[in-house]
Amino acid sequence: MTMIHAMTIDVEDYHSVFARDWLDREGPPTDAVVRNTRRMLGWFAEQNVRCTCFVLGEVAETFPELVREIAAGGHELGVHGFYHRQVFKLDRASFRREVADAKALIEDISGGAIRGHRAPAFSIMPETAWALEVLAEEGFDYDSSIYPIRGSRYGWPGFRRDIHHVSLADGRQIIEAPLSTVNLLGRRFPSCGGGYLRHFPGFVTRMAINRVSREQPAIVYLHPYEIETDCPPIETSHLPPDRQATVEKFHRMQLRNRESVEQKVRMLLDQFKFAPLADVIDRCLESKTSSALTSSA
């Protein structure tokens, strides 16, 4: 049987998120997020591929027509928070507002139910594990935020790599679909999306998906801004000199290899089968249930 992998997009606007996180400035999402998301969805339409779009609440609020287009294309909609605030910057109450408000807004615009969530910057980690309880309380069926690695900015070392039910302290359960990793020289490394797809040659991501698929489907993730090659310059003169250098270095890294992303994604679409994450989750859990019943028979 052909392995079907998950294709996901974290629908956020680079310009507003970068300004908030790095330039200490607030501003609404720009229409770059609309142009770039539509361009990616166009690639998928050519191959009859449906994906999952985890949408920021502020993007849905500013560009509701984009949410309706995603739904009309048969893609799954999920929540990516409201203002792209990492979970470790929030308490339970503010995190609840972020996800509940975004869920209600996207459901109202699309007319469909939201099942899934992905935290900004994969920021559900051991110290923010309580977020899973909030998500279950707010009616989410699954989360896909945990990177089972030991990383400098995110990660949950030792977390299970497969799609599975997580039992919570209040007796509830939520499904976790961890981001894909590969084992190399005794260590787990992140793979299959974002900067890892952008910075490394295409064959590295292809190899990673093939390795992951020996055990389970891979979860590929993209950001609309990763194909924006005409990004305008940033203004850092209002920042202290030492911080200017840090911000400008990070910005240069975010621009690196953007021109290569389209070719790499098209290669993946040619070589692998993809579906929305909810479909992949349902298929995995059904297969596990079937295997367990067979084993106990």
Side-chain angles (χ1 to χ4, degrees):
M1 182 181 296
T2 301
M3 180 75 75
I4 300 178
H5 306 284
M7 178 64 73
T8 68
I9 305 176
D10 295 348
V11 183
E12 61 193 65
D13 177 57
Y14 178 78
H15 307 286
S16 61
V17 172
F18 187 88
R20 181 179 300 128
D21 288 351
W22 292 89
L23 302 178
D24 302 329
R25 290 176 172 169
E26 290 289 334
T30 71
D31 62 1
V33 66
V34 177
R35 296 194 305 273
N36 295 323
T37 302
R38 284 174 174 163
R39 187 173 155 201
M40 285 183 167
L41 294 179
W43 307 338
F44 301 159
E46 292 172 14
Q47 299 278 6
N48 294 315
V49 167
R50 295 180 301 118
C51 71
T52 296
C53 291
F54 294 103
V55 182
L56 279 183
E58 65 175 348
V59 171
E61 185 175 60
T62 308
F63 303 109
E65 69 278 6
L66 178 62
V67 173
R68 287 189 280 267
E69 288 176 25
I70 292 168
H75 306 287
E76 180 193 10
L77 284 159
V79 165
H80 195 41
F82 208 98
Y83 294 109
H84 204 269
R85 294 183 176 124
Q86 293 96 325
V87 182
F88 53 76
K89 295 180 180 179
L90 306 170
D91 58 21
R92 278 180 179 257
S94 53
F95 176 70
R96 188 184 304 276
R97 286 194 299 273
E98 285 266 322
V99 297
D101 289 353
K103 184 174 186 286
L105 176 63
I106 296 169
E107 287 180 337
D108 183 60
I109 293 170
S110 67
I114 298 295
R115 294 182 57 188
H117 167 267
R118 176 171 291 155
F122 312 116
S123 51
I124 295 183
M125 302 177 284
E127 57 268 34
T128 54
W130 50 262
L132 296 176
E133 298 174 8
V134 175
L135 292 171
E137 291 165 4
E138 292 302 323
F140 289 90
D141 292 333
Y142 77 84
D143 175 70
S144 182
S145 304
I146 296 176
Y147 238 131
I149 61 167
R150 186 180 302 279
S152 59
R153 293 191 299 128
Y154 49 74
W156 190 323
F159 195 87
R160 282 176 58 173
R161 297 171 61 230
D162 62 318
I163 295 170
H164 63 282
H165 287 92
V166 177
S167 297
L168 305 174
D170 62 359
R172 299 174 189 263
Q173 285 192 329
I174 191 168
I175 299 163
E176 181 60 39
L179 281 299
S180 297
T181 63
V182 293
N183 289 330
L184 192 63
L185 301 176
R187 285 189 57 193
R188 287 187 187 178
F189 289 91
S191 62
C192 300
Y196 312 108
L197 181 147
R198 184 160 43 87
H199 292 310
F200 294 111
F203 76 85
V204 174
T205 301
R206 183 176 66 239
M207 179 186 69
I209 293 177
N210 281 325
R211 282 200 178 191
V212 172
S213 64
R214 295 172 188 172
E215 301 175 354
Q216 60 201 12
I219 299 177
V220 174
Y221 69 94
L222 308 168
H223 302 90
Y225 62 79
E226 289 175 304
I227 59 172
E228 184 181 1
T229 56
D230 57 349
C231 190
I234 60 170
E235 175 54 58
T236 61
S237 61
H238 64 292
L239 300 175
D242 58 335
R243 192 166 171 217
Q244 286 183 32
T246 300
V247 171
E248 289 167 2
K249 179 181 179 181
F250 181 83
H251 179 60
R252 287 194 298 272
M253 285 295 294
Q254 290 296 315
L255 297 181
R256 183 175 178 269
N257 282 353
R258 288 187 177 188
E259 69 283 350
S260 72
V261 173
E262 178 172 358
Q263 180 183 4
K264 292 172 182 174
V265 174
R266 287 185 177 278
M267 176 268 292
L268 297 180
L269 294 172
D270 284 338
Q271 297 188 11
F272 300 99
K273 298 293 184 183
F274 293 99
L277 181 52
D279 292 6
V280 171
I281 288 172
D282 291 344
R283 190 176 292 109
C284 279
L285 295 181
E286 181 180 345
S287 175
K288 285 186 176 183
T289 300
S290 177
S291 296
L293 291 173
T294 301
S295 298
S296 62

